[in-house]
Structure formats: structure tokens, C-alpha cells
Amino acid sequence: VAEAREQFGLEIRTIGAAALNAAYEAIPDEAAAADAQRWIKNAEAVKEPPREEILKSARMCLALQKLLADEKAQAITINCLGLFAQKVLPAYPCFGFARLNDLGLTGVCEADLPSTLTQIIYLHLTGKPGFVTDPLFDVSNNSVIHAHCVSATKMDGPTGEAAPYVIRTHL
């Protein structure tokens, strides 16, 4: 943290799960439902997750956007797997990270500060989002499965076209 401040002038703040969960709970039901419907409508398909899971993820997405706006921040990384396993996090933040990256902000999972810093640097150098991934290449159908949840749909930047996506469960 001190090196990031020293090298790049970044201010890094730690915000606890309580603040994140308070932002999540503050999202109105109607806003979460509308955002969930937007995710579903724009998806090529919804494979496994039930609507309730999509609704919780949409609420988390809106909470992350509000939290960044309130903090006047441009990036967030969360110990999502650890907090979810501890039953502290009410929903995975994957939708939120994808949207933040589409908007020209940065969202990275697993409290991965080096990847977050790398994404911020490349975003400012190129105007295009990065993504964190443990890729699995499925050559049988010419596809890539990303085992992180932070790929933007607008890989040409916030003004670019959104790529098609399929909503899947986290696991």
C-alpha cells in the first residue's frame, strides 16, 4: 500500500464488510429488480442461476457503484471468496465488477491489489479495461471460460460496443 502511494500517488482505503453490506441493504427493491431485469434482457442466455440470485447480484452491483461514487473512488477489490464463504457477503460482486469495468472504473475480485493496480494503470494508458482471469480454453467450441468474474463486456472502452454474455452461476 505504501509503495502504491509512493510510486503512483494512489490513496488506498480499506472499507469493511459492514459498509459494503450497508450499501447493499440501502439499494431500493425496485432499483435492484430493474437492474436484474436489465442483466437478463441483455444476456444471450441465463444458464443456471435463479432470478433470486440474479436479483441479489444486481443489488450488489448497484451497491458497488454507489460505494465508489460516495468514496469518490475509481477502483475496488473485495475478498469476495473469503467473505462469501464466511457468509458475510450477501451476493457475489461479479456483475458489479463487470459493470464498473464497462464504465471505465475498475473492479477486481479476491482482494487482488496487484491486479487492481495493473488494471488502473492500463486503463489510464489505453482507455480500455483489463481483466483478471484463470482462463480455460475450450477448443472444441472455440470459447474461453474465465475463472474470475471481472471481464468487462465493453473491451474497447466505455464508449465501445458491449460483447454478448451468458449469465452463469459463480461455480
Side-chain angles (χ1 to χ4, degrees), residues 107-121:
V108 176
C109 60
E110 297 183 17
D112 187 343
L113 190 55
S115 291
T116 303
L117 295 174
T118 302
Q119 260 190 248
I120 292 169
I121 291 166

PDB file of all heavy atoms in Angstrom, residues 107-121:
ATOM      1  N   GLY A 107     -13.019  -2.880 -11.120  1.00  0.00           N
ATOM      2  CA  GLY A 107     -13.498  -3.801 -10.101  1.00  0.00           C
ATOM      3  C   GLY A 107     -12.759  -5.118 -10.260  1.00  0.00           C
ATOM      4  O   GLY A 107     -12.724  -5.674 -11.353  1.00  0.00           O
ATOM      5  N   VAL A 108     -12.160  -5.598  -9.186  1.00  0.00           N
ATOM      6  CA  VAL A 108     -11.344  -6.808  -9.240  1.00  0.00           C
ATOM      7  C   VAL A 108     -11.692  -7.682  -8.038  1.00  0.00           C
ATOM      8  O   VAL A 108     -11.823  -7.193  -6.917  1.00  0.00           O
ATOM      9  CB  VAL A 108      -9.834  -6.468  -9.232  1.00  0.00           C
ATOM     10  CG1 VAL A 108      -8.980  -7.713  -9.179  1.00  0.00           C
ATOM     11  CG2 VAL A 108      -9.479  -5.627 -10.452  1.00  0.00           C
ATOM     12  N   CYS A 109     -11.788  -8.974  -8.288  1.00  0.00           N
ATOM     13  CA  CYS A 109     -12.150  -9.904  -7.213  1.00  0.00           C
ATOM     14  C   CYS A 109     -10.943 -10.351  -6.400  1.00  0.00           C
ATOM     15  O   CYS A 109      -9.794 -10.041  -6.723  1.00  0.00           O
ATOM     16  CB  CYS A 109     -12.898 -11.104  -7.789  1.00  0.00           C
ATOM     17  SG  CYS A 109     -11.984 -12.068  -8.987  1.00  0.00           S
ATOM     18  N   GLU A 110     -11.243 -11.080  -5.337  1.00  0.00           N
ATOM     19  CA  GLU A 110     -10.278 -11.756  -4.470  1.00  0.00           C
ATOM     20  C   GLU A 110      -9.277 -10.825  -3.790  1.00  0.00           C
ATOM     21  O   GLU A 110      -8.159 -11.239  -3.484  1.00  0.00           O
ATOM     22  CB  GLU A 110      -9.563 -12.881  -5.236  1.00  0.00           C
ATOM     23  CG  GLU A 110     -10.516 -13.969  -5.677  1.00  0.00           C
ATOM     24  CD  GLU A 110      -9.831 -15.121  -6.375  1.00  0.00           C
ATOM     25  OE1 GLU A 110      -8.596 -15.268  -6.263  1.00  0.00           O
ATOM     26  OE2 GLU A 110     -10.548 -15.890  -7.028  1.00  0.00           O
ATOM     27  N   ALA A 111      -9.658  -9.580  -3.564  1.00  0.00           N
ATOM     28  CA  ALA A 111      -8.779  -8.618  -2.891  1.00  0.00           C
ATOM     29  C   ALA A 111      -7.388  -8.609  -3.517  1.00  0.00           C
ATOM     30  O   ALA A 111      -6.369  -8.534  -2.835  1.00  0.00           O
ATOM     31  CB  ALA A 111      -8.703  -8.902  -1.385  1.00  0.00           C
ATOM     32  N   ASP A 112      -7.358  -8.663  -4.836  1.00  0.00           N
ATOM     33  CA  ASP A 112      -6.110  -8.771  -5.601  1.00  0.00           C
ATOM     34  C   ASP A 112      -5.597  -7.370  -5.921  1.00  0.00           C
ATOM     35  O   ASP A 112      -5.863  -6.822  -6.994  1.00  0.00           O
ATOM     36  CB  ASP A 112      -6.378  -9.583  -6.872  1.00  0.00           C
ATOM     37  CG  ASP A 112      -5.119  -9.904  -7.647  1.00  0.00           C
ATOM     38  OD1 ASP A 112      -4.084  -9.250  -7.415  1.00  0.00           O
ATOM     39  OD2 ASP A 112      -5.187 -10.802  -8.506  1.00  0.00           O
ATOM     40  N   LEU A 113      -4.862  -6.802  -4.979  1.00  0.00           N
ATOM     41  CA  LEU A 113      -4.369  -5.439  -5.135  1.00  0.00           C
ATOM     42  C   LEU A 113      -3.395  -5.293  -6.306  1.00  0.00           C
ATOM     43  O   LEU A 113      -3.510  -4.334  -7.073  1.00  0.00           O
ATOM     44  CB  LEU A 113      -3.755  -4.943  -3.829  1.00  0.00           C
ATOM     45  CG  LEU A 113      -3.407  -3.462  -3.770  1.00  0.00           C
ATOM     46  CD1 LEU A 113      -4.612  -2.586  -4.086  1.00  0.00           C
ATOM     47  CD2 LEU A 113      -2.840  -3.111  -2.412  1.00  0.00           C
ATOM     48  N   PRO A 114      -2.438  -6.210  -6.521  1.00  0.00           N
ATOM     49  CA  PRO A 114      -1.558  -6.051  -7.688  1.00  0.00           C
ATOM     50  C   PRO A 114      -2.331  -6.034  -9.019  1.00  0.00           C
ATOM     51  O   PRO A 114      -2.030  -5.221  -9.892  1.00  0.00           O
ATOM     52  CB  PRO A 114      -0.624  -7.263  -7.601  1.00  0.00           C
ATOM     53  CG  PRO A 114      -0.580  -7.600  -6.145  1.00  0.00           C
ATOM     54  CD  PRO A 114      -1.978  -7.322  -5.652  1.00  0.00           C
ATOM     55  N   SER A 115      -3.322  -6.900  -9.166  1.00  0.00           N
ATOM     56  CA  SER A 115      -4.115  -6.890 -10.404  1.00  0.00           C
ATOM     57  C   SER A 115      -4.950  -5.627 -10.509  1.00  0.00           C
ATOM     58  O   SER A 115      -5.147  -5.098 -11.598  1.00  0.00           O
ATOM     59  CB  SER A 115      -5.019  -8.126 -10.475  1.00  0.00           C
ATOM     60  OG  SER A 115      -4.241  -9.287 -10.659  1.00  0.00           O
ATOM     61  N   THR A 116      -5.447  -5.139  -9.391  1.00  0.00           N
ATOM     62  CA  THR A 116      -6.220  -3.895  -9.392  1.00  0.00           C
ATOM     63  C   THR A 116      -5.343  -2.733  -9.855  1.00  0.00           C
ATOM     64  O   THR A 116      -5.744  -1.940 -10.717  1.00  0.00           O
ATOM     65  CB  THR A 116      -6.786  -3.611  -7.991  1.00  0.00           C
ATOM     66  OG1 THR A 116      -7.573  -4.729  -7.571  1.00  0.00           O
ATOM     67  CG2 THR A 116      -7.645  -2.358  -7.984  1.00  0.00           C
ATOM     68  N   LEU A 117      -4.141  -2.646  -9.295  1.00  0.00           N
ATOM     69  CA  LEU A 117      -3.222  -1.570  -9.688  1.00  0.00           C
ATOM     70  C   LEU A 117      -2.848  -1.686 -11.166  1.00  0.00           C
ATOM     71  O   LEU A 117      -2.801  -0.677 -11.882  1.00  0.00           O
ATOM     72  CB  LEU A 117      -1.966  -1.594  -8.815  1.00  0.00           C
ATOM     73  CG  LEU A 117      -2.183  -1.302  -7.331  1.00  0.00           C
ATOM     74  CD1 LEU A 117      -0.894  -1.495  -6.555  1.00  0.00           C
ATOM     75  CD2 LEU A 117      -2.753   0.088  -7.136  1.00  0.00           C
ATOM     76  N   THR A 118      -2.604  -2.901 -11.624  1.00  0.00           N
ATOM     77  CA  THR A 118      -2.267  -3.117 -13.038  1.00  0.00           C
ATOM     78  C   THR A 118      -3.415  -2.679 -13.933  1.00  0.00           C
ATOM     79  O   THR A 118      -3.203  -2.003 -14.948  1.00  0.00           O
ATOM     80  CB  THR A 118      -1.911  -4.590 -13.288  1.00  0.00           C
ATOM     81  OG1 THR A 118      -0.811  -4.947 -12.440  1.00  0.00           O
ATOM     82  CG2 THR A 118      -1.529  -4.837 -14.733  1.00  0.00           C
ATOM     83  N   GLN A 119      -4.642  -3.036 -13.557  1.00  0.00           N
ATOM     84  CA  GLN A 119      -5.793  -2.625 -14.358  1.00  0.00           C
ATOM     85  C   GLN A 119      -5.936  -1.111 -14.405  1.00  0.00           C
ATOM     86  O   GLN A 119      -6.237  -0.544 -15.456  1.00  0.00           O
ATOM     87  CB  GLN A 119      -7.085  -3.252 -13.806  1.00  0.00           C
ATOM     88  CG  GLN A 119      -7.487  -4.458 -14.590  1.00  0.00           C
ATOM     89  CD  GLN A 119      -8.865  -4.961 -14.223  1.00  0.00           C
ATOM     90  OE1 GLN A 119      -8.963  -6.022 -13.661  1.00  0.00           O
ATOM     91  NE2 GLN A 119      -9.896  -4.235 -14.554  1.00  0.00           N
ATOM     92  N   ILE A 120      -5.746  -0.456 -13.286  1.00  0.00           N
ATOM     93  CA  ILE A 120      -5.846   1.010 -13.254  1.00  0.00           C
ATOM     94  C   ILE A 120      -4.811   1.625 -14.193  1.00  0.00           C
ATOM     95  O   ILE A 120      -5.121   2.521 -14.981  1.00  0.00           O
ATOM     96  CB  ILE A 120      -5.655   1.537 -11.814  1.00  0.00           C
ATOM     97  CG1 ILE A 120      -6.834   1.136 -10.935  1.00  0.00           C
ATOM     98  CG2 ILE A 120      -5.494   3.058 -11.813  1.00  0.00           C
ATOM     99  CD1 ILE A 120      -6.594   1.384  -9.456  1.00  0.00           C
ATOM    100  N   ILE A 121      -3.588   1.146 -14.122  1.00  0.00           N
ATOM    101  CA  ILE A 121      -2.515   1.695 -14.962  1.00  0.00           C
ATOM    102  C   ILE A 121      -2.851   1.514 -16.447  1.00  0.00           C
ATOM    103  O   ILE A 121      -2.780   2.460 -17.228  1.00  0.00           O
ATOM    104  CB  ILE A 121      -1.160   1.040 -14.612  1.00  0.00           C
ATOM    105  CG1 ILE A 121      -0.716   1.482 -13.215  1.00  0.00           C
ATOM    106  CG2 ILE A 121      -0.104   1.367 -15.663  1.00  0.00           C
ATOM    107  CD1 ILE A 121       0.410   0.650 -12.623  1.00  0.00           C
TER     108      ILE A 121
END
